[in-house]
Short mmCIF file of all heavy atoms in Angstrom, two decimals:
data_model
loop_
_atom_site.label_atom_id
_atom_site.label_comp_id
_atom_site.label_asym_id
_atom_site.label_seq_id
_atom_site.Cartn_x
_atom_site.Cartn_y
_atom_site.Cartn_z
N ILE A 206 247.35 -8.74 137.37
CA ILE A 206 248.39 -9.28 138.32
C ILE A 206 249.15 -8.03 138.95
O ILE A 206 249.13 -7.88 140.11
CB ILE A 206 249.33 -10.21 137.63
CG1 ILE A 206 248.58 -11.42 137.12
CG2 ILE A 206 250.49 -10.58 138.51
CD1 ILE A 206 249.45 -12.44 136.40
N TYR A 207 249.54 -7.15 138.06
CA TYR A 207 250.29 -5.94 138.56
C TYR A 207 249.41 -4.99 139.28
O TYR A 207 249.77 -4.42 140.36
CB TYR A 207 250.96 -5.18 137.36
CG TYR A 207 251.94 -4.15 137.91
CD1 TYR A 207 252.89 -4.32 138.90
CD2 TYR A 207 251.80 -2.82 137.27
CE1 TYR A 207 253.57 -3.27 139.35
CE2 TYR A 207 252.59 -1.70 137.72
CZ TYR A 207 253.56 -2.01 138.76
OH TYR A 207 254.31 -0.97 139.13
N ARG A 208 248.15 -4.89 138.75
CA ARG A 208 247.19 -4.04 139.43
C ARG A 208 246.99 -4.48 140.79
O ARG A 208 246.76 -3.62 141.74
CB ARG A 208 245.89 -3.90 138.65
CG ARG A 208 245.91 -2.84 137.62
CD ARG A 208 244.58 -2.82 136.81
NE ARG A 208 244.97 -2.74 135.39
CZ ARG A 208 244.27 -3.13 134.48
NH1 ARG A 208 243.21 -3.89 134.67
NH2 ARG A 208 244.66 -3.14 133.17
N SER A 209 246.86 -5.81 141.09
CA SER A 209 246.60 -6.22 142.48
C SER A 209 247.85 -5.91 143.34
O SER A 209 247.77 -5.61 144.55
CB SER A 209 246.33 -7.73 142.39
OG SER A 209 247.53 -8.54 142.17
N LEU A 210 249.07 -5.92 142.78
CA LEU A 210 250.21 -5.68 143.51
C LEU A 210 250.17 -4.05 143.86
O LEU A 210 250.58 -3.72 144.94
CB LEU A 210 251.53 -5.93 142.73
CG LEU A 210 251.85 -7.41 142.47
CD1 LEU A 210 253.10 -7.58 141.67
CD2 LEU A 210 251.95 -8.19 143.75
N ILE A 211 249.72 -3.35 142.96
CA ILE A 211 249.75 -1.77 143.26
C ILE A 211 248.75 -1.54 144.40
O ILE A 211 248.98 -0.86 145.38
CB ILE A 211 249.37 -1.11 142.00
CG1 ILE A 211 250.36 -1.03 140.97
CG2 ILE A 211 249.07 0.41 142.34
CD1 ILE A 211 250.11 -0.39 139.68
N SER A 212 247.55 -2.30 144.31
CA SER A 212 246.59 -2.15 145.42
C SER A 212 247.04 -2.61 146.72
O SER A 212 246.82 -1.94 147.73
CB SER A 212 245.30 -2.62 144.83
OG SER A 212 244.73 -3.59 145.71
N ILE A 213 247.93 -3.67 146.72
CA ILE A 213 248.57 -4.05 148.09
C ILE A 213 249.38 -2.99 148.55
O ILE A 213 249.36 -2.68 149.72
CB ILE A 213 249.32 -5.44 147.86
CG1 ILE A 213 248.35 -6.62 147.53
CG2 ILE A 213 250.27 -5.73 148.98
CD1 ILE A 213 249.06 -7.87 147.17
N LYS A 214 250.27 -2.40 147.63
CA LYS A 214 251.20 -1.36 148.05
C LYS A 214 250.37 -0.21 148.78
O LYS A 214 250.81 0.38 149.64
CB LYS A 214 252.06 -0.90 146.85
CG LYS A 214 253.07 0.13 147.29
CD LYS A 214 254.13 0.36 146.13
CE LYS A 214 254.98 1.51 146.40
NZ LYS A 214 256.37 1.10 146.53
N GLN A 215 249.24 0.20 148.02
CA GLN A 215 248.49 1.25 148.57
C GLN A 215 247.92 0.98 149.86
O GLN A 215 247.83 1.96 150.72
CB GLN A 215 247.41 1.53 147.49
CG GLN A 215 247.97 2.44 146.30
CD GLN A 215 247.05 2.46 145.14
OE1 GLN A 215 246.04 1.73 145.14
NE2 GLN A 215 247.39 3.23 144.17
N SER A 216 247.48 -0.21 150.25
CA SER A 216 246.80 -0.46 151.53
C SER A 216 247.65 -1.10 152.57
O SER A 216 247.23 -1.15 153.72
CB SER A 216 245.60 -1.23 151.25
OG SER A 216 245.70 -2.23 150.28
N PHE A 217 248.86 -1.46 152.26
CA PHE A 217 249.65 -2.00 153.26
C PHE A 217 250.26 -0.96 154.16
O PHE A 217 250.92 0.06 153.87
CB PHE A 217 250.93 -2.81 152.55
CG PHE A 217 251.82 -3.46 153.56
CD1 PHE A 217 251.22 -4.46 154.35
CD2 PHE A 217 253.23 -3.33 153.50
CE1 PHE A 217 252.10 -5.13 155.36
CE2 PHE A 217 253.99 -4.06 154.34
CZ PHE A 217 253.41 -5.08 155.24
N ASN A 218 250.05 -1.22 155.47
CA ASN A 218 250.50 -0.30 156.49
C ASN A 218 251.48 -0.81 157.49
O ASN A 218 251.87 -0.21 158.53
CB ASN A 218 249.32 0.32 157.33
CG ASN A 218 248.55 -0.75 158.09
OD1 ASN A 218 249.08 -1.91 158.30
ND2 ASN A 218 247.40 -0.52 158.53
N GLY A 219 252.03 -2.03 157.13
CA GLY A 219 253.09 -2.68 158.04
C GLY A 219 252.50 -3.58 159.08
O GLY A 219 253.26 -4.19 159.75
#
Side-chain angles (χ1 to χ4, degrees):
I206 294 175
Y207 184 52
R208 271 180 227 145
S209 70
L210 293 178
I211 293 179
S212 118
I213 289 175
K214 186 172 172 113
Q215 283 163 349
S216 37
F217 183 50
N218 62 15

